[in-house]
Amino acid sequence: MGPESRIETDLPSLNARQATLLKTLVEQFIADGRPVGSSTLLARSGLGVSAATVRSIMVDLAEQGYVSAPHSSSGRVPTVRGYRFFVDSLLEPEQLAAPAARELRSKLHAAHRRHEQFTSDASALLADLTRMAGIVSVPRSDLRLLRQIEFLPLSGRRVLVVMVVDRDEVQNRVIELRREYPREALERAAAFINRTAAGRHLFEVAERLRKEVEAARAAVGAELAALMQQAVSPTGSAGDDGLVIAGEPNLLAFAEIGSRERLGALLHALDRKQEIAGLFRKCLDAEGVQIFIGRESGVAVLDECSVVTAPYHVDGEVAGVLGVIGPTRMAYQRIVPLVSLTAEMFGSGLKT
C-alpha cells in the first residue's frame, strides 16, 4: 500500500507480471539512472518467464504509457505515469534503521535547544539527510502559546498590544480604537485574558474569547472585548506561510532535472518562494505524506522534479508542512519514511 497522494489518477490495473516488472524497472532505474534492459529485468525480477515474454510485457507497458525508451537505447525508463503507479501501488517504504532514527532524533533535539532557529536547522537537516533541497514552512503563528498580554495606551486612540508567546518571544502590535480608554480599563482587559487564557495556544485564546464574549463585555465593555479578540488573532503577515529552504545547491548534482536554464529557473523560484509556498499551503489540508511527480505539482519549474511533503502537528492541530524537492528519480522508499518521521519529530519538538 503506497502513501496517500493528492493526485487523482485513473490508471488501469496491471497484472502480477506487469506490476513486478514495472517495480523492478523503477527500482533499478532509481538505483543507477541508466535505462533498464530486458536481460536485467529478467535477472532481477525473479519471474520464471522467457526473455521474449519480458520483452512482450515491456511493449505492453510502453503502449500504456508506464515506460518509455530514450533515444535509440534498447532499455526502458519509467515515465511520470510509471512513477505514479509505483508510489501509489507498489512502493514498499523502508523501515528507517534504529541508529538512523536515533541520529535524526538526536540532531533535532540538539536543534531544538536553539529554539529561535529550530525551523532552519530542521530544513538543513532534511537537506543533509536526503542530499536534496529541504523545506520547512514556518509554524502557524496562532499555534504559539500565550504567556502574557498587556495593553498600553499610546497617543490618541492607539493602543500598543504587547504579547509574550512561547518561551520569551515578545510581539508588539498597534491597534486603533474608536475612542480613548483610560489605562485602568485597558489593564482590566489584559487581566481578563491573562486570567482566563494564559498558557493556551493563540487559536484557543481566540476561541475562548468568542465563547466568553458576554463575560468579557460585562467585565470590560463591548469595544474592549472586540479589541481582545483582535489582539490575539493572526496578523496574516507573510511569515505565517513563509518557507525556510536549505540545500538548494544539492540540486545541481542532478543532471536529469534539466538544462542549466531550467536549473536556474528552479533555483530562482526557490529563492523567491511564492510558487513553492502555494504548493505547500495546499498540503496543509492533506492527510499524511504527499508525493507530487513532475507536472502534478502545478508549478512549471518543478516539471522535472518530485516533491515529497508531510504535515507536522502541534497538539493535534496541523501547524505546517515540511518536505524535500529532488529529481523524479529519487529513492522514494527511503525518502517517504524519512520525511514522515522528521515531520513527527519536528512537531513534537515544537511542543516542548
Side-chain angles (χ1 to χ4, degrees), residues 29-293:
F29 184 69
I30 286 173
D32 61 27
R34 294 192 296 270
V36 185
S38 297
S39 59
T40 301
L41 289 171
L42 183 61
R44 295 186 178 276
S45 67
L47 290 177
V49 297
S50 67
T53 298
V54 170
R55 288 192 293 270
S56 175
I57 293 174
M58 295 312 296
V59 170
D60 291 340
L61 291 175
E63 289 177 348
Q64 294 181 66
Y66 291 101
V67 301
S68 65
H71 310 301
S72 58
S73 170
S74 60
R76 308 276 182 167
V77 300
T79 62
V80 168
R81 192 180 208 190
Y83 278 125
R84 172 51 55 194
F85 191 93
F86 173 78
V87 300
D88 284 350
S89 304
L90 306 174
L91 182 63
E92 298 176 355
E94 295 177 356
Q95 182 73 33
L96 202 60
R102 284 196 298 269
E103 180 183 8
L104 176 60
R105 190 181 303 276
S106 175
K107 288 183 176 179
L108 277 176
H109 181 71
H112 180 252
R113 296 196 191 110
R114 303 182 295 276
H115 193 72
E116 69 283 354
Q117 61 184 73
F118 187 38
T119 304
S120 59
D121 284 343
S123 63
L125 180 59
L126 271 173
D128 183 57
L129 291 173
T130 63
R131 308 311 303 166
M132 300 177 197
I135 304 178
V136 181
S137 68
V138 174
R140 282 170 40 194
S141 62
D142 63 349
L143 281 166
R144 294 180 173 180
L145 291 172
L146 176 67
R147 300 301 182 189
Q148 186 176 354
I149 194 167
E150 290 184 61
F151 298 134
L152 303 177
L154 300 176
S155 59
R157 296 170 296 168
R158 296 186 307 148
V159 173
L160 174 65
V161 181
V162 181
M163 286 196 300
V164 181
V165 297
D166 288 341
R167 293 180 178 178
D168 54 7
E169 180 183 340
V170 178
Q171 296 183 354
N172 297 321
R173 298 169 62 185
V174 175
I175 297 176
E176 186 164 342
L177 303 178
R178 287 179 295 186
R179 67 179 181 86
E180 291 187 49
Y181 281 87
R183 179 181 294 270
E184 294 77 15
L186 297 175
E187 289 176 348
R188 285 199 305 274
F192 185 92
I193 296 179
N194 291 328
R195 183 173 63 253
T196 61
R200 298 177 181 271
H201 296 293
L202 291 180
F203 78 89
E204 294 178 295
V205 176
E207 180 62 26
R208 189 171 183 85
L209 291 177
R210 279 192 290 271
K211 291 180 178 178
E212 303 259 350
V213 64
E214 293 303 326
R217 285 175 178 168
V220 300
E223 186 178 14
L224 288 185
L227 160 68
M228 290 153 58
Q229 291 190 48
Q230 183 182 358
V232 298
S233 297
T235 61
S237 64
D240 288 347
D241 57 9
L243 299 181
V244 178
I245 303 177
E248 299 96 314
N250 290 338
L251 300 177
L252 298 174
F254 301 107
E256 58 263 51
I257 288 180
S259 64
R260 178 177 298 181
E261 291 75 16
R262 180 176 287 276
L263 272 170
L266 173 58
L267 294 177
H268 182 59
L270 290 172
D271 183 56
R272 288 187 297 113
K273 299 182 181 179
Q274 289 97 327
E275 293 173 293
I276 310 299
L279 176 62
F280 271 54
R281 279 195 297 273
K282 293 178 183 177
C283 296
L284 284 170
D285 299 325
E287 292 289 336
V289 173
Q290 304 296 302
I291 302 173
F292 299 87
I293 304 170

Side-chain angles (χ1 to χ4, degrees), residues 282-312:
K282 293 178 183 177
C283 296
L284 284 170
D285 299 325
E287 292 289 336
V289 173
Q290 304 296 302
I291 302 173
F292 299 87
I293 304 170
R295 295 183 179 181
E296 292 174 348
S297 70
V299 179
V301 294
L302 297 177
D303 282 356
E304 303 299 325
C305 299
S306 282
V307 184
V308 179
T309 71
Y312 58 87

